[in-house]
Structure formats: structure tokens, C-alpha cells
Amino acid sequence: MRSLVVLLLIGCPSEEAIDPPITSLSVGESTLSWDGEVTLSWDGVDVLRGAGAYAELDAFGGRRLSMPFGEPVLGEVSGGLGAATQVVWTRPGTSDEPELRWELTGHESGWVAELIVRNTTGADVLLTQSSPLTSSKSTGALLPGADPEQLRILDNGSWNILDFVAEIEPGTVRTEGFGSVLPGELLGDSVSNWNHAVADLDGGVGWVAGALTTHASMPVFELSSLPPVGAPNSGFTFFSATSVYQPQAKAIRPGESFRSERVWFRPSVNPAGGLERYAQAVHDDRDLVLWTERGHRTPNGWNSWSGSGSSGGYGTGIDQGVILENLDVMANELRDWGMDWFQIDDGYQPAYGDWSWREDRFPDGPAWLTQQIRARGLRPGLWMAPFTLDEDSETALVHPDWLAGRTPLGMAAGPDYEILDLTNPEVLVWIEELMTSLTVEWGFDWLKMDFAYYALFGDGFADPNATREEAWIGALEVMREVLGPDRYFMGVGVTGLNYGLCDTFRLTLDSMPVWDHQPEDDPNDSRTQQGLKPTVRTAGRRWYLQDRVWANHPDLIFFRSGADPSWPELTFAEARAFATFVGLSGGIVKLGDRLVDLEPQAVNVVRQLLPAWKKSARPLDLFEREFPERWHGRVDEPLDGVEGSWDLLGLFHWGLNKDLTTTPYAVIPDSALAKDFVVDPAELGVVGDVLAYEFWTGDFVGEGTGPWTVEVPSHDARVVSLRPRPDHPTFLGWNRQVSMGGTLLSEVGWSEGLLTVGFAGAAGTEFAPFRWEVALWAPPGFAFAGVEADGVTDVVVEEDGAVVRVSFDVATTGPVELRAAFE
């Protein structure tokens, strides 16, 4: 992990001439300088002025000890982020005040700030707040761009409690009084959980900052732009990366030290790329080994909740018969195409807190049921809410001493359940035994942990010096230890606290089988809306976590309409558009329909997402549209034998949208008309001639450098691949998997007039036939001379100029090799 720091003193006295003291440190285009005030600049332009750090003691609003203090020293460090140079300021401790040590470390990936508090007094030091990076209230400023009206702030959840939505706010956002009701009196008008990014619509330097660690707090990133607005370099007059220690102040014992969270920050001309750098920094700093890095592919599956009973799914209305019926559909229609996980959700247990199995619903028990799932070639998963209890559950009644109290904020948020005291040793033993039952006795390989976030409202812990985050992490570490590296752990809620502990995370509120949002949702409050587009809004703004921190889970795909007849009907095109978003997100593909009710065309769309491409496309118009319309992905890790790399461009016509480049945001009305999108390879950084091919229609878009126009119907989507144009025949595209070769494609080879395309085949069924279509391309001077294929039947060839389309049925699931001859 992290190595010891070795400090190198500078400016030591000697009889020789003394070099001027070092007052700056450069890493790439950024420079940290100090001369009474600490400043970070980018390519010679100041971005952060008056930088510092602080520790707040005794009580909220109590003593605040600030840094920098005195002259710094330099040192060399190494660790998860690689070798770097470090600048360290120390504020000496006394019998009344602790020692503070402020470390700023320059890495190739970005800068890292950390504050260490060492108790030099003879009594406990009570730490209420800390910030390893802040700006001076009098002279400091964060200066990405010159005009706050042209700045856009992306958060990753906000205000410590609104973690289920990611918002984009203008730089001039104002929040009146909200922070005063939260512990610590957060002062920013924008308060982002975990990390934030700032983009300048005028094209100036942006900013990205985020927490690398969350060991004892839930860091937030505060920004305010106070009048006068619009003055040159007015920027944000208040910035702070703030940790508030809850439910009680953190006691530091005499002689002990306490480290703040490590905060990563970086000016960036491309904030989207900066967010990806940040997520990679979390991965590297924590030495994460992701599920895919452990040799597994991204899971895909179904859960029995299926969007709740009120939405037309099963909800808690499940039993053994329901599970077996849907299990057979998955095994018959989707297993061989890459769907391999089958999860049982809420409804099997008698009560929250009593995690046994109801014999009236599951007479053969869980071990028998997991055997049935495995016998069909699938892996079993189970939903559970292990930190919450019904007040009349047997566990709550027998062990009232296991229950935590609630903070005032927790009571206001809704006392739906009792919550466990996660610092109680007996509770941790119970959780360990529960996980052992789930894995060893019952045989499940996947745990979905739900409603756990209620535990963050706990108070009155058995360990009075544990923060809510320390309690959470300690309990998850117990669970992770029992689950081990080869069982899948999925979390829901409080994003950053799950980094490094969960293999996947649901990024949003529950999706619902409706396009815009449920009719009862407030149309003016995006934070509470549920539907396919609200899921895109939040999940799309967290794309950068995919395959860096974990596998993203953008929740369930639906093809049915909601059960309530007052809900607008979900069309097939809308369902396919959302499925396309999921397919390009690189995360979990998970179905929310009753499998027994799926239509053949819906089955085939799901097949065309499987197995999931593990990378994520990036939203190109992230700061321009509420629902991004243009997504760019690069398949830069092709399988052995596949030529080169290629680009993917996802194009979405969401209908009703907002223009985020105006202040206030302007509504873009819904439209039934198709929309023309320009496909310009040069705008994507693609150099040279390419071959452009669309996935859903099978259209050959064009060859060369473009640009071309692609029409997207209203409430629909298209995916265009851009492959380098070789001087010989090659694979152009297909209708099998949406990345068009990012998975399944095992070989594309050209030798002596023969083009060989190898891939993993899967056979359609009587219920849902699937006609494979593979498109080949040949430059002038090459004539198609015939095709042979192993493992396929009913081969049909159509020539359309330079494009040769080969369609066929796959006879049996297994390897397929297609050999096309050209003269």
C-alpha cells in the first residue's frame, strides 16, 4: 500500500553559497507554489489560490487550527499512485493543541492532500471536522474559468444524504439555509459527496477533485460563487473538501495520530477525462482487484423483484413455483448467450432481521433451490437487508441491546426499520454467521445488500468513538471476508463507502417500466423521479466508475409497461434505447421483467447485450444535455487474433431534454420527428480512414474520414462502429453483440485471399429464433468468391457494393469459424 515518507531538508546552513529556497513544484502542466500563500496553477494560470487545510476541535464551530504553518520541507514518496514528490508543512503541537501535519503530494495522475492530527496534549482531542484541502476565506478562490455563469458542477450525490442522484448545477447555484440543518453546518451552495467536477463551457481549464479514502467519514466537496458574479477570475470564492465526524466527535487519545481522508485533485481541460483519472486513482491508491481482474466476466442476470408488484413485477409475491418457472426460461433462452446469474429477491424471509426461509413458500428450502439453479448451468444469488430489522422481528425482540439509536436526521428521514449497532461485537458475529449460512449452508454466490444505508443514521453505538463510516466499513469487511474473492457482492446506496468492498453498485433509485418518469413524480424535482430516463440521468453521470472502481449497475431493463393503466405505455423502441444505454455502459445487464412474459423480440434484444462489454462509453455532451445524446467508447482491448482497435458511437434521441448550456437551463421539447446526428471521426480523435457500420439497422454508414449523417427515430437509439479501413477485406460488423466485437469475437484474420472470422456462437430457440448477420467489407480490386462456415446452417449471402452480408443460423452453441474467399 503506502510507503513511509522520507523528508529531505532544504536550505541547510553552510559556509558555501546557499541556493535560493525551493518555492514551487511542477507535475506535468500543473505547478504548486508557496510564498506565504499556496497556489496551484495550470500552464501558468492560477486555478486554486490560498490553498490550505484545517482541523476543527471541541465542537462544531469550535477551535479551528489552520495550515499552512511555517516553512515546508520536501520529500520523496511511493505507493499505489507511483513515485512522487511531497511538500509538508508542520504546525508544532503543544500541551493545549495537537500537532498538525499537512502533506501535498504531486503524482503523475494528480495531486493528493492529507492532514494528520497528532495529539501532543495530555487529554483527548475531539475532532469534529477536518479538511485536507480548502481555500482561505479571505484571499482564496477556486478559479476554473472566468465566469461562474459559464461553469457547470457535476456531483456524485450531494449534501451527505442525497446519494441516489447525481446533479449538474450552474456555477451560480444558490442554496438558502439547507446546510445549517446538517451536522457541521456545511457552507457551500454546491455540496458534492465523494467527488465533483467543474467544466467551463467557454473552454477554459476545469477542475476535478475527489476522496481516495473514506475510512472514517463521508467527504463532501463544497463550492460557492458569491457576488460579484462575472468579474474576471471571480471563480468560486469558497472551496473546501470537508469531513464531518458523526454521530459524535472523533476522540484522538493522547500520543495517538489520526489521518484525514486522502483527497485527489487536478485541474483539467477535459473534466470528463479528469473524472476517469480520479476513478483510476481510487483503484490504484487502494490496490483494488476488480471482479474482472480476478478472472471473471461481468455478471448478467435477473432478479425476482422485477420492479415491484405495483409496477407489474413480482415484488415480494414469490414462491418456489414462480422461481422455477422463470429459472427454466432463463436456462432455455438466455444462458447460452451470456446470462449466468439468477437472483432471488425480497419475499423469501418471514421478516427483516429474521433471515430464514418461509416453508409455506419454499418447502424444499434454499440449499435445494440453489442446486436447481446450478443444475441449469446458472449461479444463484440472494437479496438481503442485513443491517435493518422489523421492529416485531424475533431478532429485534430477543436482542434489543443489538439495536442502535437514531440521530435526529435519521428520525426525520423516516423510522421505517430498526437498525443494528454495527460496532457491537455480538452483532458482527451474527453478521458473520449469517454470511456463512448464505454461502456455505444455502449455497449462494451473489449477495445483494439493500437498505443498509439506514445504518448511517445510527447513534448510541457500543463503541462511542466509532464514526458511522467506521461502523459501516467494519461490518462490510466482515461480510467481504466470508464471501471471499469468488462470490459477488452488490451494494445499494452511499456510493463511496462501498469502494473496495463491493464488486458492483446500483447507481440510482429503482428504475421503472416508464419512459420519462412515473406520473406521480414531481416533474420539477429530478431527485425523486423514477423511470428509464431518470436512471440514465444518474447512472450516465457516474460512468467513470465502471471497470475502475467496480462494475456499474444501472438497474433493471424493462420491456413491459407499468401495471397502472394511468402510466404511459413503454414502447419497444424506448425499451431498446434504454437497453442500448446499458449495453454501452459496460456494467451489469439485469432484467426486470417476468421472464415467463417476455416476447421473442425482447429476448433477442437482451441477447444482443450479452455478454456485457466491460468498458463504458463516455458521454460527450455531459455538460450540454440533461440526458446525454452522444456516447463515445473505444474497444482498446480486443481479443487475441482480432485486428486493431475500434471506436463506438452511441446516438440517443431522448425526446424531452434540457439544454445545460443556458442559464437557466432551457427545455428542449419532446418530438416525434427523427433527429439527424453527425458522425465525424475527427471529433472523436479518430485519425485516418474508417469503416462506419450501424448495429441495430445493419446500415453501412460510409467509408473514409466522414462526416456522415445518421438518422435516429424519436425515443430510440443507434450504435455506430468506426473501424480502421485496411487495404484488404475485413470484418465490418454484425447483429450479435452491441460492442460489435468487444466480446465474443475471437479472430479476424486475412491471409492469401481468405478472411477468417471466429466467434462464440449461440443457437436461437423455437420460441425466440435468432438469425445471425455478419457484414464483411472488401476494397476495390477484391471480388467475393464464396464462404464456408463450421457450426452453422442455412447460409445466405447478399452482395451490396463493397459490403458482403452473410446470414445464417447457428446449429449448436459453441465456436464458429466463418471463412470468406476473395479474389
Side-chain angles (χ1 to χ4, degrees):
M1 293 291 293
R2 302 177 54 220
S3 66
L4 295 176
V5 177
V6 180
L7 296 180
L8 305 176
L9 296 178
I10 60 174
C12 297
S14 83
E15 296 181 359
E16 304 295 330
I18 299 175
D19 292 332
I22 298 174
T23 59
S24 66
L25 173 64
S26 295
V27 178
E29 296 94 337
S30 63
T31 299
L32 187 77
S33 60
W34 53 93
D35 186 11
E37 183 175 87
V38 178
T39 299
L40 181 69
S41 61
W42 179 271
D43 202 18
V45 177
D46 290 353
V47 177
L48 179 63
R49 292 181 188 153
Y54 71 82
E56 185 177 273
L57 309 179
D58 302 331
F60 294 129
R63 284 188 296 163
R64 179 165 291 196
L65 307 182
S66 298
M67 301 293 286
F69 191 93
E71 293 298 317
V73 295
L74 268 63
E76 300 297 319
V77 297
S78 63
L81 295 181
T85 304
Q86 187 175 77
V87 189
V88 179
W89 284 265
T90 301
R91 179 178 182 137
T94 68
S95 59
D96 296 320
E97 292 183 347
E99 175 189 278
L100 297 188
R101 175 186 171 93
W102 186 37
E103 301 177 353
L104 292 177
T105 309
H107 297 267
E108 182 180 353
S109 74
W111 295 86
V112 177
E114 188 172 17
L115 183 68
I116 298 95
V117 182
R118 187 172 71 88
N119 187 354
T120 57
T121 75
D124 287 355
V125 168
L126 299 180
L127 184 65
T128 56
Q129 276 191 26
S130 72
S131 174
L133 188 67
T134 190
S135 63
S136 164
K137 289 184 179 179
S138 57
T139 63
L142 180 65
L143 306 167
D147 183 357
E149 289 192 355
Q150 291 299 103
L151 300 179
R152 296 294 180 263
I153 310 164
L154 170 64
D155 68 35
N156 187 14
S158 58
W159 293 100
N160 232 218
I161 54 175
L162 300 175
D163 201 58
F164 48 82
V165 60
E167 296 188 280
I168 295 178
E169 302 167 323
T172 53
V173 61
R174 295 286 181 264
T175 302
E176 297 182 3
F178 187 56
S180 63
V181 304
L182 298 172
E185 295 188 345
L186 302 175
L187 301 177
D189 287 305
S190 171
V191 178
S192 305
N193 300 347
W194 321 117
N195 60 274
H196 67 188
V198 181
D200 181 8
L201 298 180
D202 286 336
V205 176
W207 167 265
V208 179
L212 296 178
T213 64
T214 54
H215 61 82
S217 67
M218 190 171 177
V220 296
F221 291 77
E222 303 181 72
L223 286 174
S224 289
S225 172
L226 302 177
V229 170
N233 288 330
S234 60
F236 296 105
T237 51
F238 173 67
F239 162 77
S240 185
T242 308
S243 287
V244 179
Y245 300 101
Q246 301 181 56
Q248 308 294 334
K250 183 69 178 176
I252 307 173
R253 311 303 182 194
E256 294 184 352
S257 295
F258 179 81
R259 290 181 173 269
S260 75
E261 310 302 347
R262 288 163 51 79
V263 167
W264 181 96
F265 56 101
R266 177 185 173 90
S268 179
V269 294
N270 179 1
L275 285 165
E276 293 168 352
R277 279 179 175 265
Y278 160 66
Q280 189 62 44
V282 172
H283 176 283
D284 296 344
D285 187 68
R286 296 189 179 209
D287 292 330
L288 301 185
V289 182
L290 307 184
W291 179 258
T292 51
E293 293 172 333
R294 284 176 251 154
H296 309 290
R297 72 183 183 191
T298 301
N300 308 286
W302 175 81
N303 79 39
S304 61
W305 180 256
S306 47
S308 79
S310 62
S311 74
Y314 289 114
T316 59
I318 59 171
D319 57 29
Q320 190 166 291
V322 165
I323 295 301
L324 293 177
E325 282 183 331
N326 286 275
L327 177 61
D328 285 338
V329 174
M330 181 182 282
N332 293 336
E333 303 297 338
L334 296 168
R335 178 196 62 205
D336 294 346
W337 298 77
M339 184 164 279
D340 40 19
W341 291 84
F342 188 89
Q343 183 204 305
I344 299 167
D345 214 282
D346 195 356
Y348 65 89
Q349 77 287 350
Y352 281 30
D354 297 339
W355 303 105
S356 56
W357 287 69
R358 293 179 52 172
E359 292 186 4
D360 60 324
R361 293 190 174 191
F362 296 89
D364 291 308
W368 178 87
L369 195 56
T370 57
Q371 289 173 0
Q372 299 304 306
I373 296 171
R374 292 182 191 281
R376 290 163 175 80
L378 301 165
R379 297 188 69 177
L382 187 67
W383 169 96
M384 191 178 284
F387 296 171
T388 53
L389 307 88
D390 290 331
E391 61 180 1
D392 58 352
S393 66
E394 182 178 356
T395 303
L397 296 174
V398 172
H399 300 286
D401 55 318
W402 288 7
L403 306 181
R406 281 179 182 265
T407 62
L409 184 61
M411 293 301 295
D416 294 12
Y417 305 104
E418 299 288 353
I419 54 178
L420 288 171
D421 177 356
L422 301 180
T423 72
N424 187 321
E426 292 183 4
V427 169
L428 295 180
V429 170
W430 179 80
I431 290 174
E432 181 179 11
E433 292 173 347
L434 183 60
M435 294 298 102
T436 302
S437 294
L438 180 142
T439 56
V440 177
E441 297 176 23
W442 301 344
F444 287 98
D445 289 342
W446 167 310
L447 171 65
K448 176 185 175 183
M449 180 183 68
D450 205 355
F451 295 109
Y453 41 84
Y454 279 90
L456 294 175
F457 295 131
D459 200 354
F461 292 157
D463 180 353
N465 198 36
T467 66
R468 57 182 188 170
E469 292 83 3
E470 288 172 323
W472 173 283
I473 290 170
L476 259 67
E477 286 176 339
V478 170
M479 299 168 69
R480 181 81 261 183
E481 179 67 24
V482 177
L483 292 172
D486 296 322
R487 295 188 181 94
Y488 207 65
F489 191 5
M490 174 184 166
V492 177
V494 290
T495 310
L497 285 187
N498 292 298
Y499 293 169
L501 293 168
C502 290
D503 299 305
T504 192
F505 184 83
R506 199 187 76 192
L507 302 171
T508 68
L509 290 172
D510 298 66
S511 62
M512 287 289 171
V514 63
W515 180 241
D516 280 302
H517 55 77
Q518 301 171 107
E520 61 266 29
D521 293 340
D522 184 345
N524 299 313
D525 187 357
S526 62
R527 295 175 300 181
T528 59
Q529 293 173 356
Q530 292 179 264
L532 298 188
K533 283 174 60 180
T535 299
V536 169
R537 175 173 48 219
T538 296
R541 293 171 180 175
R542 287 171 163 164
W543 91 95
Y544 53 90
L545 300 173
Q546 169 61 27
D547 203 44
R548 296 180 180 92
V549 173
W550 50 36
N552 283 348
H553 179 22
D555 208 31
L556 304 178
I557 296 170
F558 295 101
F559 290 90
R560 71 171 188 270
S561 296
D564 189 332
S566 69
W567 286 20
E569 183 178 349
L570 184 67
T571 69
F572 175 74
E574 290 170 342
R576 187 176 66 179
F578 179 75
T580 303
F581 163 74
V582 173
L584 292 181
S585 77
I588 291 177
V589 175
K590 205 170 188 185
L591 271 173
D593 284 311
R594 301 180 185 221
L595 297 179
V596 295
D597 294 338
L598 281 179
E599 297 292 333
Q601 64 176 354
V603 170
N604 278 330
V605 168
V606 177
R607 289 169 173 173
Q608 289 168 291
L609 307 181
L610 302 174
W613 176 51
K614 71 173 184 174
K615 298 294 184 181
S616 176
R618 175 195 292 180
L620 297 177
D621 48 355
L622 173 68
F623 295 101
E624 300 170 15
R625 293 290 181 265
E626 180 180 19
F627 304 100
E629 299 174 336
R630 303 173 75 247
W631 293 74
H632 175 224
R634 183 158 180 80
V635 185
D636 55 2
E637 295 179 1
L639 302 178
D640 291 342
V642 179
E643 290 185 337
S645 303
W646 61 94
D647 292 80
L648 297 171
L649 185 62
L651 305 171
F652 295 86
H653 186 342
W654 297 114
L656 184 67
N657 211 330
K658 284 184 181 178
D659 183 352
L660 305 187
T661 67
T662 65
T663 305
Y665 299 159
V667 173
I668 300 173
D670 201 351
S671 172
L673 301 177
K675 183 172 183 176
D676 288 338
F677 286 86
V678 175
V679 178
D680 186 349
E683 288 185 353
L684 306 177
V686 178
V687 178
D689 291 343
V690 299
L691 304 172
Y693 183 83
E694 203 287 313
F695 178 73
W696 291 115
T697 62
D699 290 341
F700 180 44
V701 176
E703 62 178 286
T705 58
W708 306 282
T709 299
V710 173
E711 183 182 84
V712 181
S714 181
H715 296 205
D716 208 340
R718 297 290 183 260
V719 181
V720 179
S721 68
L722 301 169
R723 289 182 135 79
R725 179 192 183 279
D727 58 3
H728 56 75
T730 190
F731 173 82
L732 178 62
W734 63 8
N735 69 337
R736 169 59 183 92
Q737 204 277 340
V738 70
S739 67
M740 283 183 273
T743 68
L744 299 174
L745 196 62
S746 58
E747 180 184 6
V748 175
W750 169 256
S751 178
E752 298 181 355
L754 191 67
L755 173 63
T756 303
V757 180
F759 49 88
T765 62
E766 182 178 355
F767 173 74
F770 186 89
R771 184 74 176 167
W772 287 67
E773 296 178 2
V774 174
L776 310 176
W777 173 87
F782 289 86
F784 175 71
V787 64
E788 295 180 349
D790 299 328
V792 306
T793 62
D794 194 16
V795 178
V796 176
V797 177
E798 295 182 4
E799 295 186 56
D800 181 12
V803 179
V804 178
R805 303 179 189 276
V806 184
S807 62
F808 50 87
D809 295 327
V810 170
T812 59
T813 299
V816 174
E817 185 178 270
L818 186 152
R819 298 175 297 279
F822 291 84
E823 298 175 345

